[in-house]
Amino acid sequence: MEKADTPLADVEQRIARACRIAGRDRDDVELIAISKTHDAEAIAPLLEQGHRIFGENRVQEAQAKWPELRERHGDIQLHMVGQLQSNKAEDAVALFDCIHALDRPSLVKALAKAFDKAERQVPCFIQVDIGEEEQKGGVAIKQLETLIAQARDADIPLLGLMCVPPLEVEPAPYFALLGKLAQANGLAGLSMGMSGDFETAIKLGATHLRVGSALFGARD
């Protein structure tokens, strides 16, 4: 397959191809450009090409660079993809349009309180510790149903589940497991797939891809 002129065009081409192979509609898969550690100058080319969905992993970093960009491009959607501290819940609710790392009861309580205060609800994914790697965050699989129930009781709008598979292993079994867990709990969204494995994730039902280096290049 011929490489496209820009990284964004190349990734879009690869997404479209993976969707065709999987028999899926391209519109059912959302591309989140992970812009963490990249400044406004690096983000500008994607904005100029019409991309509007971005992801950050730190509240403070996002606060520093996105308000000005949003003034120029009002239709931007911003996703929080990193671990969120409970004491940053209010700031996250004010800034982000989606949160991908709901992973513990204390954060459920903090977000519910922040939603009430802001009179604004932000849809969330529950992050699952799919590879049993505590350093990556995420709720343990055996505690997932309890956390989902707590989130629903607190009126947290749940889009689905999110995971980060272990490095340097075949991700497909982990993606498949996340899909089964989501289906068992009545959740449709699957936030899975990054630069090295998003085509596999699409074939296994991903609805939200978190792609960074394939769009921006390797971070320093």
Side-chain angles (χ1 to χ4, degrees), residues 190-218:
L190 293 172
S191 172
M192 61 188 196
M194 298 186 286
S195 291
D197 56 22
F198 67 78
E199 286 143 318
T200 299
I202 289 170
K203 293 170 187 175
L204 289 163
T207 60
H208 294 68
L209 310 175
R210 309 183 309 274
V211 178
S213 60
L215 294 170
F216 293 100

mmCIF file of all heavy atoms in Angstrom, residues 190-218:
data_model
loop_
_atom_site.group_PDB
_atom_site.id
_atom_site.type_symbol
_atom_site.label_atom_id
_atom_site.label_comp_id
_atom_site.label_asym_id
_atom_site.label_seq_id
_atom_site.Cartn_x
_atom_site.Cartn_y
_atom_site.Cartn_z
ATOM 1 N N LEU A 190 -15.287 0.767 23.102
ATOM 2 C CA LEU A 190 -14.004 0.119 23.391
ATOM 3 C C LEU A 190 -12.879 1.076 23.014
ATOM 4 O O LEU A 190 -12.588 1.283 21.835
ATOM 5 C CB LEU A 190 -13.865 -1.187 22.605
ATOM 6 C CG LEU A 190 -14.822 -2.324 22.985
ATOM 7 C CD1 LEU A 190 -14.702 -3.470 21.980
ATOM 8 C CD2 LEU A 190 -14.533 -2.820 24.394
ATOM 9 N N SER A 191 -12.253 1.681 24.024
ATOM 10 C CA SER A 191 -11.109 2.555 23.811
ATOM 11 C C SER A 191 -9.850 1.700 23.888
ATOM 12 O O SER A 191 -9.354 1.388 24.969
ATOM 13 C CB SER A 191 -11.079 3.660 24.880
ATOM 14 O OG SER A 191 -9.884 4.412 24.789
ATOM 15 N N MET A 192 -9.376 1.306 22.716
ATOM 16 C CA MET A 192 -8.201 0.418 22.661
ATOM 17 C C MET A 192 -7.561 0.540 21.288
ATOM 18 O O MET A 192 -8.226 0.833 20.305
ATOM 19 C CB MET A 192 -8.600 -1.032 22.945
ATOM 20 C CG MET A 192 -9.583 -1.637 21.964
ATOM 21 S SD MET A 192 -10.179 -3.266 22.510
ATOM 22 C CE MET A 192 -10.897 -3.893 20.962
ATOM 23 N N GLY A 193 -6.257 0.333 21.264
ATOM 24 C CA GLY A 193 -5.508 0.452 20.026
ATOM 25 C C GLY A 193 -4.710 1.732 20.001
ATOM 26 O O GLY A 193 -5.262 2.831 20.128
ATOM 27 N N MET A 194 -3.373 1.584 19.863
ATOM 28 C CA MET A 194 -2.475 2.724 19.771
ATOM 29 C C MET A 194 -1.664 2.604 18.480
ATOM 30 O O MET A 194 -2.003 1.813 17.597
ATOM 31 C CB MET A 194 -1.619 2.804 21.031
ATOM 32 C CG MET A 194 -2.462 3.024 22.289
ATOM 33 S SD MET A 194 -1.516 3.291 23.811
ATOM 34 C CE MET A 194 -0.920 1.640 24.134
ATOM 35 N N SER A 195 -0.603 3.373 18.347
ATOM 36 C CA SER A 195 0.106 3.452 17.069
ATOM 37 C C SER A 195 0.566 2.096 16.554
ATOM 38 O O SER A 195 0.520 1.840 15.351
ATOM 39 C CB SER A 195 1.321 4.394 17.196
ATOM 40 O OG SER A 195 0.892 5.730 17.351
ATOM 41 N N GLY A 196 0.994 1.214 17.438
ATOM 42 C CA GLY A 196 1.556 -0.053 16.998
ATOM 43 C C GLY A 196 0.554 -1.169 16.794
ATOM 44 O O GLY A 196 0.913 -2.216 16.243
ATOM 45 N N ASP A 197 -0.695 -0.952 17.211
ATOM 46 C CA ASP A 197 -1.637 -2.077 17.159
ATOM 47 C C ASP A 197 -3.077 -1.673 16.826
ATOM 48 O O ASP A 197 -4.003 -2.454 17.006
ATOM 49 C CB ASP A 197 -1.619 -2.843 18.491
ATOM 50 C CG ASP A 197 -1.922 -1.962 19.704
ATOM 51 O OD1 ASP A 197 -2.533 -0.894 19.529
ATOM 52 O OD2 ASP A 197 -1.538 -2.350 20.823
ATOM 53 N N PHE A 198 -3.283 -0.449 16.297
ATOM 54 C CA PHE A 198 -4.674 -0.012 16.131
ATOM 55 C C PHE A 198 -5.423 -0.802 15.061
ATOM 56 O O PHE A 198 -6.644 -0.937 15.144
ATOM 57 C CB PHE A 198 -4.757 1.500 15.878
ATOM 58 C CG PHE A 198 -4.183 1.994 14.573
ATOM 59 C CD1 PHE A 198 -4.882 1.864 13.384
ATOM 60 C CD2 PHE A 198 -2.951 2.632 14.546
ATOM 61 C CE1 PHE A 198 -4.374 2.341 12.190
ATOM 62 C CE2 PHE A 198 -2.435 3.114 13.360
ATOM 63 C CZ PHE A 198 -3.143 2.965 12.166
ATOM 64 N N GLU A 199 -4.715 -1.340 14.081
ATOM 65 C CA GLU A 199 -5.408 -2.134 13.065
ATOM 66 C C GLU A 199 -5.965 -3.434 13.666
ATOM 67 O O GLU A 199 -7.087 -3.851 13.358
ATOM 68 C CB GLU A 199 -4.466 -2.425 11.896
ATOM 69 C CG GLU A 199 -4.237 -1.192 11.032
ATOM 70 C CD GLU A 199 -2.820 -1.086 10.495
ATOM 71 O OE1 GLU A 199 -1.875 -1.356 11.263
ATOM 72 O OE2 GLU A 199 -2.665 -0.701 9.328
ATOM 73 N N THR A 200 -5.192 -4.041 14.556
ATOM 74 C CA THR A 200 -5.680 -5.222 15.269
ATOM 75 C C THR A 200 -6.874 -4.856 16.138
ATOM 76 O O THR A 200 -7.872 -5.594 16.200
ATOM 77 C CB THR A 200 -4.563 -5.813 16.141
ATOM 78 O OG1 THR A 200 -3.481 -6.212 15.305
ATOM 79 C CG2 THR A 200 -5.055 -7.015 16.933
ATOM 80 N N ALA A 201 -6.794 -3.713 16.799
ATOM 81 C CA ALA A 201 -7.893 -3.273 17.663
ATOM 82 C C ALA A 201 -9.177 -3.061 16.869
ATOM 83 O O ALA A 201 -10.272 -3.420 17.319
ATOM 84 C CB ALA A 201 -7.498 -1.987 18.388
ATOM 85 N N ILE A 202 -9.058 -2.493 15.674
ATOM 86 C CA ILE A 202 -10.241 -2.277 14.827
ATOM 87 C C ILE A 202 -10.898 -3.610 14.501
ATOM 88 O O ILE A 202 -12.128 -3.740 14.561
ATOM 89 C CB ILE A 202 -9.840 -1.531 13.543
ATOM 90 C CG1 ILE A 202 -9.492 -0.075 13.858
ATOM 91 C CG2 ILE A 202 -10.968 -1.597 12.505
ATOM 92 C CD1 ILE A 202 -8.866 0.674 12.704
ATOM 93 N N LYS A 203 -10.097 -4.594 14.166
ATOM 94 C CA LYS A 203 -10.651 -5.909 13.803
ATOM 95 C C LYS A 203 -11.367 -6.561 14.980
ATOM 96 O O LYS A 203 -12.225 -7.424 14.786
ATOM 97 C CB LYS A 203 -9.531 -6.809 13.276
ATOM 98 C CG LYS A 203 -8.945 -6.330 11.954
ATOM 99 C CD LYS A 203 -7.689 -7.091 11.568
ATOM 100 C CE LYS A 203 -7.039 -6.474 10.335
ATOM 101 N NZ LYS A 203 -5.747 -7.117 9.998
ATOM 102 N N LEU A 204 -11.031 -6.128 16.198
ATOM 103 C CA LEU A 204 -11.634 -6.713 17.391
ATOM 104 C C LEU A 204 -12.638 -5.771 18.059
ATOM 105 O O LEU A 204 -13.003 -5.962 19.208
ATOM 106 C CB LEU A 204 -10.537 -7.144 18.370
ATOM 107 C CG LEU A 204 -9.758 -8.373 17.874
ATOM 108 C CD1 LEU A 204 -8.449 -8.537 18.628
ATOM 109 C CD2 LEU A 204 -10.606 -9.634 18.010
ATOM 110 N N GLY A 205 -13.077 -4.759 17.299
ATOM 111 C CA GLY A 205 -14.212 -3.967 17.755
ATOM 112 C C GLY A 205 -13.922 -2.602 18.344
ATOM 113 O O GLY A 205 -14.838 -1.968 18.883
ATOM 114 N N ALA A 206 -12.687 -2.112 18.278
ATOM 115 C CA ALA A 206 -12.378 -0.801 18.855
ATOM 116 C C ALA A 206 -13.293 0.277 18.292
ATOM 117 O O ALA A 206 -13.575 0.319 17.095
ATOM 118 C CB ALA A 206 -10.921 -0.432 18.582
ATOM 119 N N THR A 207 -13.749 1.153 19.169
ATOM 120 C CA THR A 207 -14.542 2.306 18.739
ATOM 121 C C THR A 207 -13.763 3.610 18.872
ATOM 122 O O THR A 207 -14.101 4.598 18.223
ATOM 123 C CB THR A 207 -15.832 2.421 19.566
ATOM 124 O OG1 THR A 207 -15.499 2.575 20.958
ATOM 125 C CG2 THR A 207 -16.710 1.187 19.381
ATOM 126 N N HIS A 208 -12.736 3.616 19.712
ATOM 127 C CA HIS A 208 -11.909 4.801 19.925
ATOM 128 C C HIS A 208 -10.438 4.382 19.917
ATOM 129 O O HIS A 208 -10.017 3.555 20.739
ATOM 130 C CB HIS A 208 -12.243 5.476 21.259
ATOM 131 C CG HIS A 208 -13.618 6.062 21.313
ATOM 132 N ND1 HIS A 208 -14.761 5.283 21.308
ATOM 133 C CD2 HIS A 208 -14.045 7.359 21.354
ATOM 134 C CE1 HIS A 208 -15.824 6.069 21.363
ATOM 135 N NE2 HIS A 208 -15.416 7.330 21.394
ATOM 136 N N LEU A 209 -9.669 4.940 18.990
ATOM 137 C CA LEU A 209 -8.238 4.659 18.885
ATOM 138 C C LEU A 209 -7.452 5.812 19.494
ATOM 139 O O LEU A 209 -7.782 6.984 19.276
ATOM 140 C CB LEU A 209 -7.839 4.503 17.414
ATOM 141 C CG LEU A 209 -8.687 3.560 16.553
ATOM 142 C CD1 LEU A 209 -8.212 3.626 15.100
ATOM 143 C CD2 LEU A 209 -8.613 2.132 17.080
ATOM 144 N N ARG A 210 -6.390 5.498 20.224
ATOM 145 C CA ARG A 210 -5.561 6.515 20.862
ATOM 146 C C ARG A 210 -4.174 6.471 20.192
ATOM 147 O O ARG A 210 -3.300 5.714 20.601
ATOM 148 C CB ARG A 210 -5.462 6.262 22.364
ATOM 149 C CG ARG A 210 -6.828 6.072 23.041
ATOM 150 C CD ARG A 210 -6.718 5.901 24.546
ATOM 151 N NE ARG A 210 -5.754 4.888 24.953
ATOM 152 C CZ ARG A 210 -6.012 3.595 25.060
ATOM 153 N NH1 ARG A 210 -7.225 3.105 24.779
ATOM 154 N NH2 ARG A 210 -5.068 2.748 25.441
ATOM 155 N N VAL A 211 -3.985 7.311 19.175
ATOM 156 C CA VAL A 211 -2.797 7.229 18.322
ATOM 157 C C VAL A 211 -1.930 8.460 18.500
ATOM 158 O O VAL A 211 -2.400 9.589 18.285
ATOM 159 C CB VAL A 211 -3.209 7.064 16.847
ATOM 160 C CG1 VAL A 211 -1.972 7.027 15.947
ATOM 161 C CG2 VAL A 211 -4.028 5.778 16.665
ATOM 162 N N GLY A 212 -0.668 8.249 18.901
ATOM 163 C CA GLY A 212 0.234 9.362 19.114
ATOM 164 C C GLY A 212 1.410 9.386 18.159
ATOM 165 O O GLY A 212 1.484 10.214 17.250
ATOM 166 N N SER A 213 2.358 8.475 18.330
ATOM 167 C CA SER A 213 3.612 8.537 17.580
ATOM 168 C C SER A 213 3.414 8.392 16.075
ATOM 169 O O SER A 213 4.167 8.972 15.287
ATOM 170 C CB SER A 213 4.601 7.487 18.092
ATOM 171 O OG SER A 213 4.076 6.187 17.963
ATOM 172 N N ALA A 214 2.422 7.646 15.634
ATOM 173 C CA ALA A 214 2.177 7.498 14.187
ATOM 174 C C ALA A 214 1.735 8.828 13.562
ATOM 175 O O ALA A 214 1.857 9.001 12.353
ATOM 176 C CB ALA A 214 1.125 6.431 13.932
ATOM 177 N N LEU A 215 1.240 9.744 14.386
ATOM 178 C CA LEU A 215 0.817 11.055 13.896
ATOM 179 C C LEU A 215 1.841 12.147 14.159
ATOM 180 O O LEU A 215 2.022 13.037 13.321
ATOM 181 C CB LEU A 215 -0.511 11.452 14.577
ATOM 182 C CG LEU A 215 -1.727 10.599 14.240
ATOM 183 C CD1 LEU A 215 -2.887 10.950 15.164
ATOM 184 C CD2 LEU A 215 -2.128 10.782 12.786
ATOM 185 N N PHE A 216 2.509 12.088 15.292
ATOM 186 C CA PHE A 216 3.409 13.167 15.705
ATOM 187 C C PHE A 216 4.886 12.784 15.650
ATOM 188 O O PHE A 216 5.748 13.640 15.805
ATOM 189 C CB PHE A 216 3.074 13.601 17.141
ATOM 190 C CG PHE A 216 1.743 14.247 17.290
ATOM 191 C CD1 PHE A 216 0.657 13.526 17.766
ATOM 192 C CD2 PHE A 216 1.541 15.560 16.948
ATOM 193 C CE1 PHE A 216 -0.588 14.105 17.916
ATOM 194 C CE2 PHE A 216 0.301 16.165 17.094
ATOM 195 C CZ PHE A 216 -0.767 15.443 17.578
ATOM 196 N N GLY A 217 5.186 11.512 15.454
ATOM 197 C CA GLY A 217 6.565 11.062 15.552
ATOM 198 C C GLY A 217 6.891 10.693 16.984
ATOM 199 O O GLY A 217 6.120 10.980 17.917
ATOM 200 N N ALA A 218 8.026 10.050 17.170
ATOM 201 C CA ALA A 218 8.425 9.612 18.508
ATOM 202 C C ALA A 218 8.671 10.801 19.421
ATOM 203 O O ALA A 218 9.209 11.831 18.989
ATOM 204 C CB ALA A 218 9.672 8.751 18.425
#
